Amino acid sequence: MATLKDLRGDTPSWCPGCGHFSIMAGIQKAVVQLGYEPHEFAIISGIGCSGKVSEYVRTNGFHTIHGRSVPVAQGVKMGNPDLKVIASGGDGDGYGIGLGHFVHASRRNIDMSYIVMDNNIYGLTKGQTSPRSEHGFVTKTTKEGNKEYPVDPVSTSLANGATFVAQAFAGDIKQMVDIIERAIEHKGFSHVNIYSPCVTFNKVNTYDFYKERLTKIEKPFEDRDEALAKVRELSGLVTGVLYEEKRPDFQGKLGIEFDTQSCTNGEMDEDLFHKMEKQFQ
Amino acid sequence: MRESVEWMVGGQQGEGVDSTGELFAKTLVRYGYSVSTYKQFMSRIKGGHTNYKIKATEKQNYYSGDGIDILLCLDKETLPKNEQSLNQGAVVIQEGKEILVEAGQASTGVSYTTFTLPLKKIATDLGNPLAKNMIALGISAGLVELPVEILNGFIEEIFGKKGEEVINSNKQAVLKGVELTKEHVPNQIKPLSVVPVSNQLFISGNEATAFGSLMAGCRYLSAYPITPASEVMEWLSDELPKVGGTVMQVEDEIAGICFAIGASYSGTRAMTSTSGPGLSLKTEALGMAGMSEVPIVIVNSQRGGPSTGLPTKHEQSDLQQMIYGTHGEIPRIVLYAATIEDAFYIAAEAFNLADQYQCPVIVGLDLGLSMNKMTVPTFDSKRVKIDRGKLITDEEAKDFNETHFKRYRLTEDGISPRPLPGMPHAVHTTSSNEHDESGYISEDQTNRINMMRKRLEKVRDAMIQEPFKYDDNGGESEIVLVGMGSTYGMIQETIKQLNEEGVINASHIHIQQLYPLPIDKLQPLIDGKRVVTVENNYNGQLLQLLRQHAPIHNNSEAITQYDGDPFTVSTIAKQVKELISWQR
Ligand SMILES: Cc1ncc(C[n+]2csc(CCOP(=O)(O)OP(=O)(O)O)c2C)c(N)n1
Ligand code: SF4
């Protein structure tokens, strides 16, 4: 049985107090508590302070490029359906540059989890506005206040068919670990948005800000519309599993007997060659 | 008896020009001829002039030809657009009110015969107005005395599901065509000689590439549709699921390459296919594959650029993009098949190289190669053996005895043993950031230098089986023509023609490995010669590449064409002659 120590990777370089620490710990704890071994997982991360999580959690990790953790992660699962796959990154990574992939992953329903560390700001590039920043939010690139309105992540995945949608808060590790565990065990695309305060650059969306405002949803809504309505009513300031649905995942629907790993050194398959050649004769 | 025939059908898009052309081509193939084809088409579905050109020869040929012996006009534009290509004595078949055989003369001076007839009415009288193209095919077959049994065989294949009546009316149409030929234009054209039938495949460059990939063990392709690359994914969509693999049409080209990188990282031989606009989108992820040392094969079938450019036209203008595209410096290998036959082997080798060198391999194609079919001797399934490079098993990983496996171990040849995620003794980190041997981020300068050297030196010696084709054309030559991709057949024929005319003897180099360029092998073949590249782009990108590697600046030129059409032998020959006279 793996212990938390087995899941310790490189030494984190995050600012002390950064919400990302708790999320890293949450992933480690979930893997251990579910009884998995580090080698069974692949964590595919994007770029940002958050993206470093694939190096800090000791499982297989792929630190990819900005905004592309989700397509790479889906490919990893297609390449080896036996792996447990987690994609992770920041709100800029996932809802800015990578938003398109997130929407498509929601509707595609490949069996993987997507954990977003949402700090409503760009951390690694030192504090610019993010697609999750509130209207009016002042940053180096929105000196007069943000004129846009934020992306609504959970409503996006809900509206686009994700089969597991949840939200958590880095300040509530117990609930977060429970949610991550359920997301990992969910068969299909599970989206977990986690509020993760950036203590260095975001002086608005702090731990206290969330503590005062978040409402816990005790059990998932029966249908998407109810979940969407509640999220809207509470301006997205909710935590808990909002929606969960049992539906065959993408690979199951393909109905293919996957045989992707058996390519070994040697001659081409002669029988297969002659079979294929016929259609061109 | 004639040993070759050049045939063309032209008409409006959506009128069955393609299917008519393909049927005649296949008939010639079954008769034992070697056939090359070229399809002209536009970026719209209905309307607009399109044509399908065929050259059939007794011996293997790689070019669909400059001329036309039989021109089948399904619209009014076909004749004026192609009259200048008619060969002496050609027959033009066209729709008209009544049967009429007339003599014509083209602006080029050649005389030809027009055979006008009410195709639609004759077909209607036979009870199937849709069979008018079959009558025209019957006439074509009749002119060169092809046995109708071959056409009938195809008719049974094509219309099998539609029932006896449809089959019979189409067969009748073909027979009618043959009769009409005998009656009105007998002996107009010499019949084709009989040749022994050999084991040939009639296949396009896209299909050969997809076939080679599948045979090399590729089991995953993710891509976004784009002309002229779509058939690669379409063909594999049919075939991969049968062997446990998948094709995914994903949301865009960035996803296309990222999914494939993910699948390759987790152990599957994976690829993506695209054309120029897609390659542009893929370049950041291409850099990721280079930096993180994940094998990946990217097929890039070039079309007319830049931007949306000429989406259905031929060009070879992505050379620099394929060799240099992406920021920073990465290891990569760039291949470019000379012929459809080579496309099969190049695709298969690409997967080996990607695994052996743990880097992206770009397989270049162009519209001319990709979308046109040609007969090729059937492929040799033993020529390329699958080699997965330094991929290791869990047992082997265990011997390293590391808690965190060093994915980027520094080795003599710069290539690190590569485990796969999921192996109990090989938990490891893969990264697009500069990293140390363990895969963890590192900005240490000594490490940086070591890692840059590791990555960039490892591909230096990469070499495919046939990095270029060379033909000295049986003698001493002052001039060497250098090409890439689908110009192979045209250059070959140009040289033959110039030789026959006694103008000059030229040697021919056709490069199949663009990066790393096999310059040590090329150097002796170009030393002291006048180097003339033949390429479909404005800037002479191939010439620039050669000039970068060899001191040929004072003795080299490029013959270029970038109007969307492929070269003809006559244009290349004319330009070579001009170059020679200019030197004198
Ligand atoms: C293509 C590209 N554009 C821009 C960047 C620069 N960049 C790095 S991280 C980042 C945003 C980080 O914000 P977020 O995703 O919210 O993660 P955080 O650092 O807050 O955890 C940006 C813009 C990049 N690496 N790549
Ligand atoms: S800048 Fe913000 S997000 Fe980045 S490590 Fe520091 S606190 Fe965390």
Side-chain angles (χ1 to χ4, degrees):
Chain A
M1 270 278 283
T3 62
L4 281 177
K5 198 167 146 266
D6 296 323
L7 278 132
R8 225 173 274 155
D10 200 11
T11 314
S13 61
W14 292 316
C15 309
C18 173
H20 297 354
F21 276 107
S22 311
I23 300 173
M24 172 190 76
I27 296 172
Q28 288 165 326
K29 218 164 170 183
V31 171
V32 169
Q33 288 185 6
L34 289 170
Y36 288 109
E37 297 294 326
H39 72 269
E40 295 176 87
F41 273 79
I43 299 182
I44 316 301
S45 66
I47 297 298
C49 297
S50 44
K52 294 179 177 169
V53 69
S54 60
E55 303 189 16
Y56 300 164
V57 176
R58 198 192 135 260
T59 63
N60 297 292
F62 191 167
H63 197 166
T64 68
I65 45 177
H66 197 33
R68 315 299 167 199
S69 72
V70 173
V72 174
Q74 291 170 93
V76 172
K77 187 73 182 178
M78 291 305 296
N80 182 356
D82 295 335
L83 284 172
K84 299 294 285 179
V85 178
I86 295 176
S88 191
D91 48 309
D93 189 81
Y95 307 141
I97 189 164
L99 182 75
H101 302 305
F102 166 55
V103 171
H104 292 285
S106 295
R107 73 183 177 89
R108 194 174 282 128
N109 200 33
I110 285 180
D111 182 22
M112 58 168 279
S113 305
Y114 182 33
I115 298 173
V116 184
M117 310 187 187
D118 181 0
N119 56 16
N120 314 75
I121 200 160
Y122 280 22
L124 193 64
T125 42
K126 299 190 171 22
Q128 300 86 357
T129 188
S130 126
R132 285 285 298 135
S133 299
E134 289 299 328
H135 185 71
F137 192 67
V138 177
T139 70
K140 293 174 193 164
T141 52
T142 51
K143 297 218 165 98
E144 304 297 319
N146 182 19
K147 304 298 177 210
E148 302 171 359
Y149 293 86
V151 164
D152 179 346
V154 288
S155 296
T156 304
S157 54
L158 274 170
N160 286 286
T163 49
F164 182 102
V165 180
Q167 193 154 253
F169 170 42
D172 183 347
I173 296 194
K174 196 165 160 293
Q175 185 203 26
M176 176 176 68
V177 171
D178 175 59
I179 289 175
I180 295 176
E181 285 182 10
R182 286 166 70 180
I184 288 173
E185 292 301 88
H186 174 77
K187 183 99 178 142
F189 183 73
S190 49
H191 171 218
V192 185
N193 188 63
I194 308 183
Y195 290 123
S196 177
C198 168
V199 293
T200 305
F201 295 112
N202 192 332
K203 305 298 178 191
V204 177
N205 307 101
T206 60
Y207 286 96
D208 284 342
F209 172 94
Y210 284 112
K211 258 179 216 149
E212 286 157 21
R213 291 171 176 79
L214 288 172
T215 303
K216 257 191 193 153
I217 306 295
E218 294 303 339
K219 78 181 212 314
F221 293 98
E222 290 291 311
D223 67 64
R224 290 175 193 272
D225 289 341
E226 270 180 60
L228 282 163
K230 197 68 181 179
V231 169
R232 170 159 298 189
E233 180 194 319
L234 296 173
S235 308
L237 291 164
V238 294
T239 58
V241 177
L242 303 171
Y243 184 73
E244 187 169 13
E245 181 189 325
K246 279 206 169 61
R247 203 207 295 159
D249 67 313
F250 178 83
Q251 287 171 313
K253 286 215 167 200
L254 285 177
I256 292 171
E257 193 79 44
F258 285 96
D259 180 14
T260 55
Q261 303 271 314
S262 62
C263 173
T264 46
N265 294 352
E267 280 184 5
M268 289 177 176
D269 180 342
E270 184 101 21
D271 293 340
L272 182 63
F273 175 80
H274 291 303
K275 238 188 342 201
M276 298 267 160
E277 170 196 46
K278 283 208 173 66
Q279 59 176 291
F280 302 112
Q281 280 168 342
Chain B
M1 291 286 181
R2 58 168 54 241
E3 290 160 6
S4 73
V5 67
E6 294 186 75
W7 181 94
M8 182 192 269
V9 56
Q12 295 290 301
Q13 272 177 185
E15 272 192 343
V17 174
D18 251 29
S19 52
T20 306
E22 181 138 339
L23 194 49
F24 198 62
K26 281 180 166 171
T27 305
L28 288 157
V29 174
R30 236 174 248 174
Y31 193 53
Y33 272 72
S34 168
V35 173
S36 290
T37 66
Y38 196 86
K39 286 192 281 192
Q40 280 276 11
F41 65 108
M42 289 194 228
S43 189
R44 53 195 266 193
I45 305 303
K46 293 269 184 211
H49 179 77
T50 161
N51 59 53
Y52 192 113
K53 172 75 204 295
I54 295 173
K55 181 168 186 183
T57 49
E58 281 190 358
K59 296 206 185 72
Q60 176 73 44
N61 85 70
Y62 294 96
Y63 173 46
S64 57
D66 283 5
I68 301 171
D69 298 311
I70 302 173
L71 179 63
L72 172 52
C73 310
L74 299 178
D75 70 357
K76 292 261 176 293
E77 286 175 60
T78 306
L79 182 55
K81 275 209 155 84
N82 298 290
E83 198 190 42
Q84 80 288 347
S85 305
L86 292 175
N87 292 335
Q88 179 65 28
V91 174
V92 175
I93 305 159
Q94 60 182 11
E95 173 87 41
K97 282 218 171 54
E98 54 201 52
I99 296 181
L100 210 63
V101 177
E102 291 168 307
Q105 185 150 43
S107 53
T108 50
V110 308
S111 42
Y112 61 91
T113 305
T114 52
F115 182 22
T116 310
L117 70 174
L119 287 167
K120 214 180 269 167
K121 182 168 171 299
I122 302 171
T124 312
D125 291 348
L126 287 173
N128 184 356
L130 293 175
K132 78 175 169 81
N133 292 3
M134 288 295 172
I135 300 174
L137 283 180
I139 297 171
S140 306
L143 282 167
V144 289
E145 295 186 11
L146 278 174
V148 287
E149 291 74 37
I150 302 179
L151 268 170
N152 285 346
F154 285 117
I155 286 172
E156 280 167 24
E157 275 173 35
I158 299 168
F159 300 108
K161 289 204 185 87
K162 296 198 172 158
E164 278 303 299
E165 211 172 302
V166 178
I167 292 178
N168 283 337
S169 63
N170 277 289
K171 282 185 180 174
Q172 270 176 10
V174 170
L175 266 184
K176 183 78 190 171
V178 176
E179 277 169 28
L180 287 163
T181 311
K182 282 198 183 128
E183 197 181 327
H184 300 284
V185 280
N187 308 324
Q188 199 72 39
I189 283 191
K190 282 193 204 144
L192 277 173
S193 60
V194 182
V195 294
V197 179
S198 61
N199 191 5
Q200 300 190 98
L201 306 183
F202 185 56
I203 188 169
S204 72
N206 279 342
E207 288 166 339
T209 301
F211 188 12
S213 302
L214 183 138
M215 290 315 305
C218 172
R219 289 296 176 271
Y220 185 75
L221 175 143
S222 43
Y224 192 76
I226 187 165
T227 306
S230 296
E231 282 98 16
V232 175
M233 82 186 285
E234 287 166 4
W235 189 84
L236 286 170
S237 293
D238 285 341
E239 305 302 335
L240 274 187
K242 297 179 193 162
V243 291
T246 336
V247 166
M248 282 178 75
Q249 178 180 329
V250 291
E251 55 267 27
D252 56 36
E253 279 91 348
I254 297 175
I257 186 168
C258 285
F259 270 75
I261 288 172
S264 175
Y265 157 78
S266 65
T268 302
R269 280 200 156 177
M271 71 191 292
T272 185
S273 53
T274 192
S275 183
L279 186 62
S280 294
L281 284 174
K282 289 180 198 294
T283 49
E284 191 197 7
L286 174 71
M288 162 166 69
M291 183 60 152
S292 60
E293 304 195 50
V294 175
I296 177 79
V297 172
I298 302 146
V299 172
N300 179 47
S301 174
Q302 302 164 88
R303 66 186 206 182
S307 193
T308 308
L310 294 169
T312 64
K313 300 291 174 199
H314 169 79
E315 205 165 89
Q316 302 178 310
S317 51
D318 296 349
L319 204 62
Q320 289 171 339
Q321 158 109 324
M322 293 193 281
I323 298 175
Y324 306 113
T326 207
H327 56 280
E329 296 156 303
I330 58 160
R332 77 172 88 195
I333 295 165
V334 183
L335 311 177
Y336 192 172
T339 68
I340 292 176
E341 186 184 355
D342 294 298
F344 177 89
Y345 302 111
I346 294 249
E349 284 197 84
F351 284 91
N352 281 347
L353 293 172
D355 267 340
Q356 289 164 332
Y357 293 95
Q358 300 179 5
C359 72
V361 179
I362 300 179
V363 173
L365 288 171
D366 55 49
L367 184 138
L369 267 180
S370 273
M371 297 200 61
N372 297 299
K373 291 190 182 180
M374 182 182 281
T375 41
V376 299
T378 193
F379 306 120
D380 174 6
S381 64
K382 298 214 169 8
R383 185 171 139 183
V384 180
K385 294 189 182 43
I386 294 170
D387 182 347
R388 302 221 54 185
K390 287 199 190 174
L391 200 58
I392 58 169
T393 61
D394 187 51
E395 277 302 302
E396 289 164 325
K398 192 177 170 190
D399 291 342
F400 286 94
N401 201 14
E402 290 162 349
T403 323
H404 194 76
F405 188 90
K406 284 185 182 153
R407 169 66 188 91
Y408 300 106
R409 195 178 312 275
L410 293 170
T411 60
E412 194 83 359
D413 60 6
I415 301 159
S416 315
R418 174 182 167 228
L420 295 177
M423 292 180 174
H425 300 92
V427 173
H428 64 281
T429 300
T430 299
S431 183
S432 81
N433 280 281
E434 187 56 278
H435 44 257
D436 59 20
E437 288 184 279
S438 68
Y440 293 151
I441 289 182
S442 168
E443 295 184 0
D444 177 81
Q445 285 166 323
T446 309
N447 176 73
R448 164 71 175 180
I449 291 165
N450 288 338
M451 286 295 164
M452 284 294 277
R453 281 198 185 135
K454 167 194 198 307
R455 285 189 299 267
L456 296 168
E457 291 299 326
K458 70 176 177 177
V459 294
R460 289 268 190 261
D461 298 328
M463 192 74 70
I464 57 172
Q465 291 178 357
E466 198 181 9
F468 55 86
K469 290 180 180 289
Y470 176 68
D471 193 348
D472 67 4
N473 292 297
E476 278 297 305
S477 60
E478 295 157 40
I479 190 166
V480 52
L481 298 187
V482 188
M484 54 186 169
S486 65
T487 54
Y488 183 73
M490 300 146 202
I491 295 178
Q492 224 187 16
E493 295 212 7
T494 305
I495 293 173
K496 207 168 105 202
Q497 188 180 315
L498 292 173
N499 207 329
E500 277 165 11
E501 287 174 14
V503 179
I504 197 166
N505 186 38
S507 53
H508 178 190
I509 295 173
H510 221 73
I511 301 182
Q512 299 204 97
Q513 181 171 312
L514 292 166
Y515 191 90
L517 193 71
I519 193 63
D520 291 347
K521 295 186 182 200
L522 287 170
Q523 193 74 54
L525 307 178
I526 58 176
D527 263 348
K529 296 204 173 143
R530 187 151 178 204
V531 176
V532 179
T533 61
V534 180
E535 44 187 320
N536 290 115
N537 59 60
Y538 185 89
N539 281 321
Q541 297 184 21
L542 182 58
L543 178 67
Q544 291 181 29
L545 180 69
L546 292 174
R547 283 182 175 174
Q548 219 177 62
H549 291 272
I552 53 170
H553 293 68
N554 300 327
N555 203 18
S556 58
E557 291 87 6
I559 292 176
T560 62
Q561 183 176 324
Y562 40 87
D563 61 359
D565 276 346
F567 281 107
T568 58
V569 167
S570 56
T571 38
I572 306 175
K574 188 167 153 253
Q575 295 204 49
V576 172
K577 283 178 197 163
E578 273 168 23
L579 282 177
I580 299 170
S581 64
W582 168 71
Q583 185 190 38
R584 284 181 195 137

